[in-house]
Amino acid sequence: MTADPAGLALHQRTLSELAWGLTKGDFTSRELTELLLGRVAQHESLNAFITVTADVALEQADRADRARTRGVAGPLNGLPIVHKDLFCTKGVLTTCGSNILSHFVSPYDATVVERMAEAGAVMLGKTNMDEFAMGSSNETSFYGPVMNPWDTKLSPGGSSGGSAAAVAARLVPAATGTDTGGSIRQPAALTGTVGLKPTYGRVSRYGMVAFASSLDQAGVITRSAEDAALLLRVIAGIDRRDSTSVDHPVPDYVAGISKPVKGLRIGVVRQHFDEGLDPLCAERVKTSLDALNEAGASLIEIDLPSIGLSVPTYYVVAPAECSSNLSRFDGVRFGHRSADPEDLLDLYCRSRGEGFGAEVKRRIMTGTYVLSAGYYDAYYLKAQKVRQLISQDFKNAFERVDVIAGPTAPTTAFAIGEKTDDPITMYLNDIYTIGANLAGLPGISVPCGFATGLPVGLQLVGPHFAEERILACAHQYQQLTDWHKMAPEDFA
Ligand code: GLN
């Protein structure tokens, strides 16, 4: 584990560095928790949190300190974490960024939340997000947009924007997120943090409010690949309560990151550098690829012929699944219920009409349309077939290369309000990330420099269950560069 970084303020330290300090007894979890809760309060204007759970945090911190004294500390003992507000947390508000769930207190914990708590983590709160994780800028949240700590006029990306902003602003060293089309990796890129989306099925979805079940996957946002490895080891693995979680061995991801990149075959997708990518971002990504090349990896140009169809395919499949998943919010069982309905149909219509925001309604309508009898074959079935082609492209590519590297997002952070009137431009933000979701592959975004003062992300995608490999590559890159250590000026 990383040695003690002499002189580094506690809020600047990574999880691994904090774990070291806690083990040595330099500070207690309560001291650390109080300090970070103070920062969370101080920077409330970022709007990164929907709920701050100070009482839970202090109780968990004290418990962690007692466990350490007794010599029974788990792998995350006393370490602070925040959860995206779509992970169910027992006894704590879980809104999913929506008015329809604005009073929902979950009766149980999501598996990810449960596993982290059992490992000794301390939950500071629940982070802001796009409503039902539908968005790329955090602007669809019922609770208002999140500010990007690098420039508060800009969006931190989305949908896990609150998690990314909190980690970038050094309010907390790590956060959970979910990624259906890029919602961990894109905000990580736009805030200069590390975002890991594991293989579909690697981490249980139990207790995650569903958006598009065949694409949703839980992951983490941290400041180092090492920390992502530490957390993945805790949350990965089969869960009998999620039939899509996979019974595949969970390696020691932390031990795995020391593997050098020498000999690694890195695929560079020709289509990724076509028009649409900001030239300054392209330059940063190319420089980072050169650095990996110099460290001994080889760069191999590859083609993903169907990748250009990934955004339209996603915007058929994801809304179709969402229209089905969100039908459970009907004002009857839980969630918002409209007052004084005229009859049952009116209750449904008004509860949903009042509870959902515009983007969610747009997706439900699109999804219902593509699944309707007359259009199912033309849209949904066609999209499923194209999804297969995209998966096959990746499969073919991974016969020649070990990882695929390229940009995470087409631009750096954009202004809040800049793209809200044009959903298509907003959807194109995920052009480089969606392919991995459609194919169920693991991906990670690591900071790889700055363009006009704003962070740029490098994305690494691996074959199924190759988290160890992409984490090692990301970690080795972070040994060569210091981009991930740079903090936004007002949050240093
Ligand atoms: N931005 C994409 C969307 O709006 C992806 C969201 C996500 O990954 N949750 O659907």
Side-chain angles (χ1 to χ4, degrees), residues 15-36:
L15 282 179
S16 313
E17 290 162 350
L18 289 169
W20 181 250
L22 285 167
T23 308
K24 283 203 306 166
D26 292 349
F27 48 88
T28 63
S29 177
R30 176 171 261 269
E31 286 163 353
L32 174 63
T33 304
E34 282 176 347
L35 179 122
L36 294 182

mmCIF file of all heavy atoms in Angstrom, residues 15-36:
data_model
loop_
_atom_site.group_PDB
_atom_site.id
_atom_site.type_symbol
_atom_site.label_atom_id
_atom_site.label_comp_id
_atom_site.label_asym_id
_atom_site.label_seq_id
_atom_site.Cartn_x
_atom_site.Cartn_y
_atom_site.Cartn_z
ATOM 1 N N LEU A 15 -7.575 7.151 -0.803
ATOM 2 C CA LEU A 15 -8.032 6.140 0.160
ATOM 3 C C LEU A 15 -6.860 5.340 0.701
ATOM 4 O O LEU A 15 -6.762 5.094 1.904
ATOM 5 C CB LEU A 15 -8.979 5.154 -0.529
ATOM 6 C CG LEU A 15 -10.424 5.548 -0.787
ATOM 7 C CD1 LEU A 15 -11.122 4.408 -1.504
ATOM 8 C CD2 LEU A 15 -11.147 5.869 0.520
ATOM 9 N N SER A 16 -5.984 4.929 -0.221
ATOM 10 C CA SER A 16 -4.854 4.087 0.178
ATOM 11 C C SER A 16 -3.932 4.834 1.133
ATOM 12 O O SER A 16 -3.431 4.266 2.107
ATOM 13 C CB SER A 16 -4.066 3.640 -1.052
ATOM 14 O OG SER A 16 -4.947 3.171 -2.026
ATOM 15 N N GLU A 17 -3.735 6.119 0.850
ATOM 16 C CA GLU A 17 -2.889 6.920 1.738
ATOM 17 C C GLU A 17 -3.562 7.128 3.093
ATOM 18 O O GLU A 17 -2.908 7.082 4.142
ATOM 19 C CB GLU A 17 -2.593 8.277 1.072
ATOM 20 C CG GLU A 17 -1.668 8.140 -0.137
ATOM 21 C CD GLU A 17 -1.695 9.364 -1.062
ATOM 22 O OE1 GLU A 17 -2.556 10.258 -0.889
ATOM 23 O OE2 GLU A 17 -0.853 9.418 -1.979
ATOM 24 N N LEU A 18 -4.873 7.325 3.074
ATOM 25 C CA LEU A 18 -5.605 7.490 4.339
ATOM 26 C C LEU A 18 -5.589 6.195 5.143
ATOM 27 O O LEU A 18 -5.447 6.224 6.371
ATOM 28 C CB LEU A 18 -7.050 7.917 4.062
ATOM 29 C CG LEU A 18 -7.228 9.351 3.543
ATOM 30 C CD1 LEU A 18 -8.657 9.572 3.063
ATOM 31 C CD2 LEU A 18 -6.875 10.381 4.623
ATOM 32 N N ALA A 19 -5.725 5.076 4.441
ATOM 33 C CA ALA A 19 -5.726 3.775 5.137
ATOM 34 C C ALA A 19 -4.413 3.589 5.894
ATOM 35 O O ALA A 19 -4.387 3.107 7.028
ATOM 36 C CB ALA A 19 -5.924 2.647 4.131
ATOM 37 N N TRP A 20 -3.361 4.033 5.261
ATOM 38 C CA TRP A 20 -2.039 3.917 5.877
ATOM 39 C C TRP A 20 -1.958 4.761 7.152
ATOM 40 O O TRP A 20 -1.499 4.309 8.197
ATOM 41 C CB TRP A 20 -0.993 4.375 4.834
ATOM 42 C CG TRP A 20 0.420 4.294 5.278
ATOM 43 C CD1 TRP A 20 1.254 5.343 5.556
ATOM 44 C CD2 TRP A 20 1.193 3.112 5.512
ATOM 45 N NE1 TRP A 20 2.484 4.903 5.931
ATOM 46 C CE2 TRP A 20 2.474 3.532 5.915
ATOM 47 C CE3 TRP A 20 0.913 1.744 5.419
ATOM 48 C CZ2 TRP A 20 3.490 2.628 6.224
ATOM 49 C CZ3 TRP A 20 1.930 0.844 5.734
ATOM 50 C CH2 TRP A 20 3.190 1.287 6.114
ATOM 51 N N GLY A 21 -2.450 5.991 7.048
ATOM 52 C CA GLY A 21 -2.437 6.897 8.206
ATOM 53 C C GLY A 21 -3.295 6.373 9.359
ATOM 54 O O GLY A 21 -2.912 6.467 10.531
ATOM 55 N N LEU A 22 -4.445 5.793 9.008
ATOM 56 C CA LEU A 22 -5.327 5.235 10.048
ATOM 57 C C LEU A 22 -4.658 4.049 10.733
ATOM 58 O O LEU A 22 -4.706 3.905 11.952
ATOM 59 C CB LEU A 22 -6.658 4.791 9.420
ATOM 60 C CG LEU A 22 -7.653 5.879 9.028
ATOM 61 C CD1 LEU A 22 -8.758 5.322 8.138
ATOM 62 C CD2 LEU A 22 -8.273 6.527 10.282
ATOM 63 N N THR A 23 -3.999 3.216 9.922
ATOM 64 C CA THR A 23 -3.326 2.039 10.468
ATOM 65 C C THR A 23 -2.206 2.441 11.431
ATOM 66 O O THR A 23 -2.026 1.843 12.482
ATOM 67 C CB THR A 23 -2.734 1.181 9.324
ATOM 68 O OG1 THR A 23 -3.767 0.927 8.389
ATOM 69 C CG2 THR A 23 -2.167 -0.132 9.816
ATOM 70 N N LYS A 24 -1.479 3.496 11.042
ATOM 71 C CA LYS A 24 -0.369 3.936 11.903
ATOM 72 C C LYS A 24 -0.856 4.661 13.154
ATOM 73 O O LYS A 24 -0.081 4.915 14.060
ATOM 74 C CB LYS A 24 0.534 4.890 11.114
ATOM 75 C CG LYS A 24 1.440 4.156 10.130
ATOM 76 C CD LYS A 24 2.669 5.007 9.784
ATOM 77 C CE LYS A 24 2.246 6.368 9.301
ATOM 78 N NZ LYS A 24 3.263 7.375 9.230
ATOM 79 N N GLY A 25 -2.145 5.056 13.140
ATOM 80 C CA GLY A 25 -2.681 5.772 14.293
ATOM 81 C C GLY A 25 -2.372 7.262 14.249
ATOM 82 O O GLY A 25 -2.415 7.952 15.271
ATOM 83 N N ASP A 26 -2.053 7.807 13.056
ATOM 84 C CA ASP A 26 -1.779 9.249 12.923
ATOM 85 C C ASP A 26 -3.033 10.079 13.188
ATOM 86 O O ASP A 26 -2.955 11.226 13.590
ATOM 87 C CB ASP A 26 -1.292 9.575 11.498
ATOM 88 C CG ASP A 26 0.077 8.989 11.218
ATOM 89 O OD1 ASP A 26 0.718 8.528 12.183
ATOM 90 O OD2 ASP A 26 0.493 8.990 10.038
ATOM 91 N N PHE A 27 -4.181 9.526 12.891
ATOM 92 C CA PHE A 27 -5.458 10.206 13.120
ATOM 93 C C PHE A 27 -6.523 9.127 13.217
ATOM 94 O O PHE A 27 -6.292 7.979 12.824
ATOM 95 C CB PHE A 27 -5.776 11.191 11.978
ATOM 96 C CG PHE A 27 -5.607 10.593 10.612
ATOM 97 C CD1 PHE A 27 -6.649 9.912 9.989
ATOM 98 C CD2 PHE A 27 -4.386 10.678 9.940
ATOM 99 C CE1 PHE A 27 -6.484 9.347 8.742
ATOM 100 C CE2 PHE A 27 -4.213 10.106 8.681
ATOM 101 C CZ PHE A 27 -5.265 9.440 8.079
ATOM 102 N N THR A 28 -7.685 9.502 13.755
ATOM 103 C CA THR A 28 -8.766 8.520 13.867
ATOM 104 C C THR A 28 -9.760 8.740 12.724
ATOM 105 O O THR A 28 -9.751 9.784 12.062
ATOM 106 C CB THR A 28 -9.528 8.690 15.195
ATOM 107 O OG1 THR A 28 -10.130 9.989 15.195
ATOM 108 C CG2 THR A 28 -8.617 8.526 16.393
ATOM 109 N N SER A 29 -10.619 7.761 12.544
ATOM 110 C CA SER A 29 -11.648 7.902 11.529
ATOM 111 C C SER A 29 -12.601 9.033 11.912
ATOM 112 O O SER A 29 -13.090 9.763 11.053
ATOM 113 C CB SER A 29 -12.402 6.584 11.369
ATOM 114 O OG SER A 29 -13.442 6.744 10.447
ATOM 115 N N ARG A 30 -12.858 9.195 13.207
ATOM 116 C CA ARG A 30 -13.750 10.294 13.623
ATOM 117 C C ARG A 30 -13.144 11.639 13.235
ATOM 118 O O ARG A 30 -13.826 12.503 12.686
ATOM 119 C CB ARG A 30 -14.016 10.244 15.130
ATOM 120 C CG ARG A 30 -14.858 11.451 15.579
ATOM 121 C CD ARG A 30 -15.337 11.339 16.991
ATOM 122 N NE ARG A 30 -16.712 10.874 17.056
ATOM 123 C CZ ARG A 30 -17.781 11.668 17.076
ATOM 124 N NH1 ARG A 30 -17.659 12.981 16.988
ATOM 125 N NH2 ARG A 30 -18.995 11.170 17.167
ATOM 126 N N GLU A 31 -11.845 11.808 13.477
ATOM 127 C CA GLU A 31 -11.193 13.084 13.123
ATOM 128 C C GLU A 31 -11.300 13.346 11.621
ATOM 129 O O GLU A 31 -11.623 14.434 11.167
ATOM 130 C CB GLU A 31 -9.713 13.072 13.549
ATOM 131 C CG GLU A 31 -9.525 13.227 15.046
ATOM 132 C CD GLU A 31 -8.134 12.815 15.543
ATOM 133 O OE1 GLU A 31 -7.324 12.278 14.749
ATOM 134 O OE2 GLU A 31 -7.882 13.022 16.733
ATOM 135 N N LEU A 32 -11.020 12.296 10.855
ATOM 136 C CA LEU A 32 -11.074 12.413 9.394
ATOM 137 C C LEU A 32 -12.498 12.730 8.933
ATOM 138 O O LEU A 32 -12.724 13.607 8.090
ATOM 139 C CB LEU A 32 -10.588 11.082 8.787
ATOM 140 C CG LEU A 32 -10.690 10.916 7.289
ATOM 141 C CD1 LEU A 32 -9.825 11.936 6.565
ATOM 142 C CD2 LEU A 32 -10.244 9.495 6.884
ATOM 143 N N THR A 33 -13.457 12.027 9.510
ATOM 144 C CA THR A 33 -14.861 12.205 9.128
ATOM 145 C C THR A 33 -15.329 13.616 9.464
ATOM 146 O O THR A 33 -15.983 14.275 8.648
ATOM 147 C CB THR A 33 -15.724 11.145 9.855
ATOM 148 O OG1 THR A 33 -15.203 9.860 9.526
ATOM 149 C CG2 THR A 33 -17.172 11.216 9.431
ATOM 150 N N GLU A 34 -14.974 14.101 10.647
ATOM 151 C CA GLU A 34 -15.386 15.461 11.027
ATOM 152 C C GLU A 34 -14.784 16.500 10.083
ATOM 153 O O GLU A 34 -15.451 17.436 9.656
ATOM 154 C CB GLU A 34 -14.970 15.752 12.476
ATOM 155 C CG GLU A 34 -15.927 15.094 13.460
ATOM 156 C CD GLU A 34 -15.512 15.267 14.917
ATOM 157 O OE1 GLU A 34 -14.352 15.681 15.180
ATOM 158 O OE2 GLU A 34 -16.344 14.958 15.797
ATOM 159 N N LEU A 35 -13.530 16.272 9.725
ATOM 160 C CA LEU A 35 -12.865 17.213 8.817
ATOM 161 C C LEU A 35 -13.562 17.253 7.452
ATOM 162 O O LEU A 35 -13.854 18.324 6.910
ATOM 163 C CB LEU A 35 -11.401 16.787 8.639
ATOM 164 C CG LEU A 35 -10.586 17.646 7.698
ATOM 165 C CD1 LEU A 35 -9.385 18.210 8.417
ATOM 166 C CD2 LEU A 35 -10.123 16.871 6.468
ATOM 167 N N LEU A 36 -13.876 16.073 6.923
ATOM 168 C CA LEU A 36 -14.498 16.030 5.596
ATOM 169 C C LEU A 36 -15.945 16.532 5.640
ATOM 170 O O LEU A 36 -16.397 17.211 4.713
ATOM 171 C CB LEU A 36 -14.408 14.624 4.996
ATOM 172 C CG LEU A 36 -12.984 14.166 4.669
ATOM 173 C CD1 LEU A 36 -12.999 12.786 4.035
ATOM 174 C CD2 LEU A 36 -12.244 15.138 3.753
#
